[in-house]
Amino acid sequence: LPGRFSHPSGVAVDAAGGIYVADTQNRRVQVFSSTGAFSFQFDLPPIAPGLGGDDDAGKKNDKDDDAAGAALGKPFGISLDGAGNIYVADKEGDRALKYSPEGTLLFTFGAKGPGRGQLEEPRGIAVDPEGDCILVADSENHRVQKYDRFGNVSLVFGRKKEEIAPGNELVLLHKPTGLFLDSLGNLFVADRNEDIDV
């Protein structure tokens, strides 16, 4: 039902105080007014067969997944640009999605895999006010990827500790999860399986 949640994982607030919630296990985004009144919701689009994250990896399905729900993505991270466009990191679909302020899907980017521009269980997303810089926490690949407004990757950084030779000054990440981009363009990364933030 609207206003009910199952494992919500991300939240964003717009300039007017509107609240956007990644309602993860219900596989949707819910939007509320600044006073908490329900406004609207939208589901993530279906995942193409063979491209899903958790299910294809052989992990146990969540107990509340049904045959229809298993084909949809799971929103995890959520962010807004200055125009009110909504950006979602889809943990199960191994992709990121951009929606209009009204919840109309504009485009998706990313695909399952370890290559440049590909994603494995993305959990966090951040965007600058202009929508020109989209950053995605590529959790299972232990890195952050930067995309432009068209979904083209322009920067990849981060690597798991075990993959770095001693003395190599690369950014160490181990399942980055949360991202925050401040007004000066500084990026803050919550690194889920390490004891420090980067």
Side-chain angles (χ1 to χ4, degrees):
L1 296 174
R4 301 286 185 93
F5 302 101
S6 181
H7 295 85
S9 300
V11 65
V13 179
D14 65 20
I19 306 163
Y20 300 72
V21 181
D23 187 8
T24 305
Q25 287 299 109
N26 284 325
R27 301 172 182 271
R28 64 185 177 182
V29 171
Q30 295 197 65
V31 183
F32 302 85
S33 72
S34 60
T35 61
F38 176 79
S39 295
F40 67 94
Q41 67 182 33
F42 56 89
D43 295 330
L44 269 63
I47 302 167
L51 297 182
D54 291 350
D55 295 341
D56 286 349
K59 299 177 184 176
K60 184 178 179 181
N61 289 337
D62 297 301
K63 63 182 178 181
D64 57 348
D65 285 350
D66 56 25
L72 301 177
K74 284 185 178 178
F76 204 92
I78 189 166
S79 188
L80 307 171
D81 66 20
N85 295 304
I86 307 161
Y87 299 76
V88 176
D90 178 6
K91 172 182 173 287
E92 186 156 302
D94 299 308
R95 60 189 173 175
L97 307 96
K98 179 181 178 180
Y99 294 85
S100 73
E102 298 76 31
T104 300
L105 180 63
L106 300 177
F107 69 88
T108 67
F109 55 97
K112 183 177 178 63
R116 184 179 175 90
Q118 295 180 319
L119 299 166
E120 292 270 5
E121 294 192 24
R123 295 173 185 264
I125 193 164
V127 61
D128 71 350
E130 293 75 28
D132 292 324
C133 172
I134 307 166
L135 296 138
V136 180
D138 188 7
S139 184
E140 290 299 313
N141 285 323
H142 314 290
R143 64 189 181 183
V144 174
Q145 299 201 64
K146 176 184 175 184
Y147 300 81
D148 64 18
R149 65 170 50 246
F150 305 107
N152 302 307
V153 67
S154 60
L155 178 67
V156 180
F157 66 91
R159 195 168 295 181
K160 194 174 178 181
K161 185 183 302 182
E162 291 78 2
E163 299 171 349
I164 298 178
N168 195 332
E169 299 300 323
L170 292 175
V171 176
L172 297 175
L173 295 173
H174 191 186
K175 299 186 186 298
T177 300
L179 300 181
F180 176 74
L181 192 63
D182 72 13
S183 60
L184 299 177
N186 298 303
L187 177 65
F188 296 81
V189 181
D191 200 8
R192 180 180 174 209
N193 280 25
E194 291 292 345
D195 296 329
I196 59 170
D197 290 343
V198 179

